[in-house]
Each structure stands twice: as structure tokens, then as C-alpha cells.
Amino acid sequence: MSNEHTPLLAHGVCGLSADNAVCGIGVSEGTGEASTPNAVPRKLNTFFGVMVPTVLSMFSIVLFLRTGFVVGHAGLLQGLVMLLVAYTIISLTILSICAISTNGAVQGGGAYFMISRSLGPEFGGSIGLMFFLAKVCACGVYVLGLVEALLDIFGQDPASSSAFRVLPQGYWYTVLYSSIVLLLVLMVCLVGAHIFARTSFLILLVVTISLLSIYISPLALTTPLKFLITHQGPGNETLTYNASYTGFNGTTLKDNLGSGYTVDYSTGKVMSFATVFAVMFTSCTGIMAGANMSGELKNPSAAIPKGTIIAVLYTFIVYVLLFILASSTCERTLLAQDYGFFQRINIWPPFVTIGIYCSALSAAMCSLIGASRILHALALDQLFGFPLAPAAITSSSGNPWVAVLYTWGLAQCVVFAGQLNAIAGLVTVFYLLAYAAVDLACLALEWASAPNFRKDHVKFWRPQVLLMVANPRSSCQLINFVNQLKKGGLFVLGHVKLGDLGNIIWMVTGFYPSSNILFSAFDYPPPLLSLQGGMKPNTLVLGFYDSCTPEDYFLQDPAFCESKGSGGDDFGVDLPSLQAHFPPVRHVESPRWLTSEEYVGIISDAIKMSKNVCLGRYFFQLQGEGMGTKMDGAARIIDVWPLNLLQPSSTSAASVDVCSLFLLQMACVLNMASRWRHARMRIFLCVEAESSDQGWVVKEETYRELLRKLRIRASIKIVPWDSVVQLYGQKQTQDPELEGLTKPAQALSEDFQSAVNRMLMEHSAEAAVRFLYLPRPPAHSSQSHKYLSQLEAVTYGLGPTLLIHGLTPVTCTEL
């Protein structure tokens, strides 16, 4: 019993280091020893790591060059409706991003990584490809917007006498200028991407100054202004428009409230709500920027939700104020016929020009870099085979330069569209589908209780329970309790029944609470534990082996009584037939079906098969578990004792083993059940308070950090047990019959066992259920009786108690 060799986890458990495989550590194969990986430094806080990249990504070309387009065609009211619709969509996606990304560090690939690690690489691959194409098209949009802004200032115009207007205009010239800008973006991404990342705050500062100049200008420019706007129409016809800036004016605001959809001078097509919304929505495609940085954040669980939500609220307020400002100061003609009208009405036009160039160039670089990282992640997952294989190549510094070249080539194809508005709708469709996929991933995990759609992952672990009972008639409370504990997983109920076919033992099992299914077996649980596929149990639950007299709960439950007088019941079976399936309970003087050696042998066999084992005692005392009972557990308490109380030496180190984590997981699963959702959870840590090394302080901090990382709502209770440890036997005893077969076992005195029991009774008397650490059973069957007697002494008189020995790693902070 003292030979407990469950691998211990170091202090970095469960995601304290983000790049570990399971529970935040690496385990050396074959040794079970923890190895410390090289931790990735996390330096970014909420502002620089989340808010700055998110705001900068959302303040793209729409902010400066398409505000007039939206208000001029849709009017103020419909423009605000578009904003509300767009921000409602991204708000739902933000909630999904927060739920998924805070459940694990997002590595390279951003949204693709989250989707593929939530719904599987096959499903995520198709969505990742779509998101990659959205980024590529967005890069083209920003480049075309930048060229449009350049031509507004430096493009040749017969109606202007400015010496700066020297650039020829036309479709092929637009493509040429876009290609040059895109080549510049490529060079930065290949050579100085890290430099661009470091200057993002400076770029945001410049954009903010440009915004402030826009807000201040109407206060400084109080006199109306007249403008003459010319466009080249069909057949080289020159179209002339008289537009005016009125300053803050009630009549102007009233005229701009309604919609006035007309021809878009850049594409020559009549606009509608859908086409204007498609252009406007491109400003809402930067919400993933913060989530993509979670691997570099100091505290991603807090930074991503707070930073993203604040950034989105900030941009929403900015856009609403801009829409109101534009509709209150400018006539519709100026808004609809000059997308760069902010430069005309600014106190110093270069403010707006610099803001346009900075926002467009930074957004284009962000899109090219983000798209290349998605393509690189797709290549690493080998989802598209040979065509994308070169995209996995990186430079010595880790830059995926081949993926950057792939992305640049596709973006070059996009700029052949020639106009920003021409491809804005395509970008919107791609992003809407990608956002819908993220929402679907989160919805699927919530509704289906985190099902595992891909290669097994501990994060999606759920109890697949095989409950073995001597007779269901005497185990109704335990059956109902385990039904709450399974949390949407498999629940197979079984008991041993001797059939008529010779000496064959039949295992009568059923999917609770449905009808029974028969399986043949020559032994006890092992054949059922060996089931494969979706019916493969991972946890064996047994009733406790004690001297309690079983009671027949069929005689107490009205569902099984003949009170209805119809000769039948809710199960569609008359009472005699129902009783024939479940024989009467064992009489107090009747012999047991199993010996203590056979019972402990079942536990040992299950552990050898890598199954988790739970022993339930005193569950006949559990109240409120009936099928018709309605309660939420508000008055209930769940107590967890995660340390091995029968081996004090294992509780002295500031470490947590797999079994302890399994106890926490099972308690959390129960706390999520409908009848236990409001129950209070308490975790008891036994410490030697009088110890000179004060290791219990480290232990408490370890558990508090663990609970915070795993987001477990529980209180930690420190229990000094120096007086109990002093009774722990120090003598080495050896059974003569076991000489040469086993190692010496440390004796546990009756005083020590009684002291542990009194400690449990003192601190857990008011609990509805207790979760205790079940030590590994002895290696030799001759010690089975001693093993059971120690468990019985420790749990005597406690009330409903579940002794658990967990072997499955069930906690992880990686996606």
C-alpha cells in the first residue's frame, strides 16, 4: 500500500509553461520523470499585446477613405444599423475567441490553429484555407486603398494646376503602383517584420493624431466651404459635381438621415445596403490580432478578453462619432463623390494623408504576415500534401519566407481587380465564414460537452464509466450519482449474473437508463473494460467491499411499485417480470459473491489495463438523487482530499501527481451536473505546519496557481496534521510468506488509521460527498484483506465517499 509510484508533476503543472505536451511538463519516455522544457518568454501586457494590434488592424482604410462612402449612400440611420450588425457579429466571435483561446495558448496560425485544435485539422484545414484567402484579399484591399489615396494627392488631374500631380492614372497604372507597394510590403515582411512589430505602437500614435485632427477640424472650420469635384464618366465624359461643407448644421444632419444609394464613381455600379455593408465590414476584420499574440502575453487568460473587448468598444465609439460628424457637417454629394473628403475639411490636410498611409501600409503588412503564418501552419499540419510542402520551410530566425512568397504571389493576383470596392464583398464573405466557423467550434464544444472530433486529446476527456454492482436493487443511489458524474459520457451499468449455460458467467449491462444488453464473459470486468471505439470505458466504478447490510430500494421507489394497479409501470414491464431480471438482494447471512482477494484483484486488473478506478461507499446515505428530484445543489458541499492520506511522505513535497489532478477533474465534472451546479467545492491540503522548512506554504501556492490556471472555483482549506503524522508507523515489517516476492511494506498502525478517520470526520462532516485519494492496491493477493481493512478504517462513518485512483492525464492548457 505504501508502494505508490504514480509519476509526480513538478510545480509547472498544467500550463504554467505554455509549450508543454500534457499538464505543462514533458515526461521522459520509459522513466515517468518530468523534464523541464525551455519556456517561451512572455513579455507583452494587455495594452501592447492585445489592444494595440487589434485597434491598428481595425483602423484600416475604411476609417479614412470609406466613412463618407457609407454615410453618403446609406445615410446616418442605416449606417448606424450596419455598425450594429457588424459589431454584433464580431461580438459573438469575440466571446468564442475568448472561450477558446483562453483555454490554451494559440500558436502560429491564429484562427486556423484555434479551429483545427478544437474541431480537428480536417475541418479546420478547410476553414483555415478560407481564412488565408480572406487575409490575402484583405491585403489586396489595403494596397489598393493606399494607391487610391496616393492618386488622390499625386494623380494627374486636368482640372488641377498642382505641380505635385504627376502620376498617370488608369487601370494598368493602378495595377503597376499596387505591385510596387506590394513589393515594398514583401521586402519588409522578408527582412524587417520584427522591426515593423516593434513600431506598431508608434504607428497607432500617428493614426490617433490623425483622428484627433479630424474631430477638432469642425470646431476650427466654422465657415462653409464649396468644392468642385470631377470624375471621368463613361465614354471619357467628365462629370462635375458641386459639393459643400456646412459645418455643424441641423438641416445637413436631417438631409443625411435617410439613404440615398446612387452610382459608385469608382466601379460605375449602383450601390445597395448589401454592397455598402460589404465594404464597411472590412473594418471589422482585425479582432483576431490580440488572440494571435496569446503565446507572447504575460497573462493571456485575462489579457485577451479584456484587451479585445476594450479595443472593440473603442473602435465602435470612434466609428459612431465619425458617422455623426460626417453626416452633420457635409452634404451628401461631398460624402458620396469624394471618398477622401476628410483631407478637404481638415485644418492641416497632411494629418489625414499621413494617417491614411500609415493605417493602410500597416494593415497590408499585418495581412501579409498573418496570411503567411496561416499558410505555414497548414503546411506544418500536412493537410494539402506536396503543393504546400515548401511553405513549411523557414529561415534560421524562424521566418516562413516561402509562405510569405506564396502569399505575395496570390496578393499580386488580387490587385488586378483595380478597385477597392470591387473585392471588398469577397473579403467580407471570407471573413464571415471564418468567424462563423470559430463560433461553431465554441458552440459544438459547449452543446456536445466538449466532444473529441479528432487524434485523442486530454482536454476533451470525459468519464466513460463502467459501474459494476452486485445487484441494482441495492445500488440505486450510487447508480443515480454516477449518472450525474458521467457528464455526457458513456455510462454502462453491469452486474454479475449466473446464467443457464453451464458455468458461463453473464455480464448484464445497459446504457443507463435504457434497456439491458447481454454480454458473455468468463471473468469479471476485464471483458467489458476491453470494449473498443465509442463504447470503450475509461473508468471503473465499484461499490465498496464492507459489511453493510444491503437494502432493497425497489421496495421504496414508487416507480417500481404496483400502486398504479394497472399491472404495469413506466418501464412497460409488469412487476414480477421486472423482479425476475433483478433477483432479491443478498441476505445478511448469505455468502458474498466475491472474496476480498477477488475484489482487490478486479481493482488491480483495471489499473493494469490503464483504467481509472473509483470505489463508492455509503452512497445509500446520499439524499436528493432520485429521478424525480429537482435541486441545484445550492446547499451541498463537495470536499476533495487530493493527497494520499495513507502515505504522509508523498504529501510533503510541493508537487501534484496525476491521481490528484484526476480527483480535481472528477469533482469539477460533478460540480457541472444539474443537481450539483451550485454546490460549493472545498479542497483540503494536509500540511505539517510545525515543519522547519515551511514547505506547506509552497504547496498552498502551488495549488492556488493550479486552480487559477484550470479556472476551478474552489476554496483551499489548510489542515495541520502534525499529530497524525507522528502516529505513522516507522517499523519495516515483512510477512514471512512474502519473503523474496515483494519489498518490505511500511506498517500503518491502527492509531494512525483512526487519527486519519477522525481528521476527515472533523473537517468533512457537513459535506454531501467526499473525494479521497485511493492508493494503489498491493502487489500480492495475501495483502488484500489488510488493504481493504485500512480503507474501511479510514472511511468509517464518513458518509457518501468516492475513493479514486486516476491514471489518465485529464488537465491541459494547450489547445
Side-chain angles (χ1 to χ4, degrees), residues 53 74 79 128 294 342 671 775:
S294 68
F342 279 134
N671 208 181

Side-chain angles (χ1 to χ4, degrees), residues 651-801:
T651 67
S652 59
S655 58
V656 186
D657 65 10
V658 173
C659 186
S660 299
L661 294 173
F662 189 86
L663 259 72
L664 292 176
Q665 176 77 353
M666 294 296 281
C668 288
V669 170
L670 178 64
N671 208 181
M672 296 167 65
S674 58
R675 297 176 187 171
W676 296 84
R677 64 166 57 99
H678 295 299
R680 292 184 292 126
M681 189 188 305
R682 304 186 302 186
I683 299 176
F684 291 87
L685 299 182
C686 297
V687 301
E688 297 182 47
E690 300 176 1
S691 175
S692 58
D693 60 2
Q694 297 295 305
W696 65 272
V697 178
V698 179
K699 181 192 298 184
E700 181 182 5
E701 290 302 318
T702 299
Y703 266 89
R704 293 196 185 279
E705 181 70 6
L706 173 64
L707 296 180
R708 188 185 67 81
K709 288 290 182 181
L710 297 179
R711 299 191 302 280
I712 295 177
R713 295 188 297 270
S715 60
I716 294 181
K717 305 293 183 180
I718 301 300
V719 180
W721 72 329
D722 302 78
S723 60
V724 178
V725 174
Q726 291 176 1
L727 300 175
Y728 184 59
Q730 300 297 327
K731 295 181 179 181
Q732 301 295 329
T733 62
Q734 178 69 16
D735 192 334
E737 298 179 0
L738 304 178
E739 190 69 35
L741 295 179
T742 60
K743 296 181 180 179
Q746 195 169 30
L748 296 179
S749 65
E750 293 184 2
D751 291 339
F752 172 74
Q753 299 172 40
S754 299
V756 173
N757 178 257
R758 287 194 300 270
M759 180 181 67
L760 292 172
M761 291 284 289
E762 177 184 354
H763 294 281
S764 286
E766 59 183 348
V769 67
R770 302 144 193 84
F771 289 77
L772 302 185
Y773 191 115
L774 175 65
R776 187 182 292 268
H780 199 275
S781 60
S782 62
Q783 294 181 316
S784 298
H785 181 72
K786 180 188 295 185
Y787 175 75
L788 290 177
S789 65
Q790 292 173 349
L791 296 180
E792 183 173 6
V794 169
T795 60
Y796 180 77
L798 281 183
T801 302

Side-chain angles (χ1 to χ4, degrees), residues 594-616:
L594 298 175
T595 65
S596 59
E597 290 79 9
E598 291 172 331
Y599 179 84
V600 176
I602 291 175
I603 299 175
S604 299
D605 290 342
I607 292 177
K608 291 176 182 177
M609 298 173 67
S610 299
K611 306 298 181 182
N612 311 295
V613 179
C614 304
L615 307 182

Side-chain angles (χ1 to χ4, degrees), residues 229-500:
I229 303 173
T230 59
H231 296 304
Q232 187 172 356
N236 292 327
E237 179 185 1
T238 300
L239 302 178
T240 304
Y241 300 93
N242 292 313
S244 61
Y245 162 81
T246 63
F248 287 107
N249 188 285
T251 302
T252 303
L253 177 62
K254 182 179 179 180
D255 293 340
N256 288 330
L257 287 178
S259 61
Y261 296 105
T262 183
V263 176
D264 172 26
Y265 69 83
S266 64
T267 61
K269 298 179 180 179
V270 178
M271 294 292 98
S272 64
F273 185 95
T275 54
V276 173
F277 177 80
V279 174
M280 193 275 301
F281 191 79
T282 58
S283 65
C284 303
T285 57
I287 59 174
M288 301 261 185
N292 293 342
M293 300 293 291
S294 68
E296 288 76 36
L297 297 174
K298 293 180 181 178
N299 187 4
S301 298
I304 291 177
K306 183 166 67 173
T308 305
I309 292 173
I310 293 176
V312 169
L313 287 176
Y314 172 66
T315 57
F316 178 76
I317 294 173
V318 168
Y319 277 115
V320 169
L321 292 178
L322 277 182
F323 279 20
I324 295 175
L325 184 146
S327 59
S328 302
T329 61
C330 302
E331 290 185 349
R332 187 182 299 273
T333 303
L334 178 61
L335 298 176
Q337 301 302 327
D338 185 6
Y339 299 153
F341 75 100
F342 279 134
Q343 299 175 69
R344 295 179 180 266
I345 63 173
N346 199 273
I347 53 177
W348 192 54
F351 272 140
V352 179
T353 303
I354 295 172
I356 293 174
Y357 294 165
C358 288
S359 62
L361 198 59
S362 65
M365 290 181 183
C366 284
S367 296
L368 189 64
I369 293 173
S372 64
R373 269 49 177 183
I374 295 175
L375 189 65
H376 178 64
L378 288 168
L380 290 178
D381 284 345
Q382 300 179 352
L383 297 181
F384 295 94
F386 178 76
L388 287 187
I393 300 174
T394 61
S395 64
S396 58
S397 61
N399 186 20
W401 62 273
V402 177
V404 173
L405 291 177
Y406 270 57
T407 307
W408 168 78
L410 291 176
Q412 181 61 56
C413 297
V414 173
V415 299
F416 279 98
Q419 291 292 339
L420 184 157
N421 290 4
I423 57 173
L426 186 62
V427 175
T428 297
V429 169
F430 279 139
Y431 273 109
L432 285 175
L433 290 175
Y435 292 166
V438 176
D439 295 337
L440 175 63
C442 192
L443 183 66
L445 297 178
E446 175 66 23
W447 278 9
S449 296
N452 187 357
F453 295 122
R454 57 192 182 91
K455 299 169 189 176
D456 286 343
H457 195 288
V458 298
K459 179 163 290 185
F460 305 117
W461 184 90
R462 286 294 181 270
Q464 307 276 38
V465 180
L466 169 62
L467 170 60
M468 300 299 299
V469 296
N471 193 330
R473 299 180 67 155
S474 61
S475 309
C476 291
Q477 282 90 339
L478 181 59
I479 292 172
N480 288 326
F481 175 79
V482 175
N483 187 49
Q484 293 283 307
L485 191 64
K486 66 184 175 64
K487 189 61 178 74
L490 176 71
F491 182 14
V492 180
L493 171 63
H495 75 103
V496 180
K497 178 180 180 182
L498 290 175
D500 297 330

Side-chain angles (χ1 to χ4, degrees), residues 548-561:
C548 292
T549 302
E551 298 185 29
D552 190 349
Y553 292 98
F554 278 17
L555 301 180
Q556 305 174 13
D557 196 326
F560 296 94
C561 295

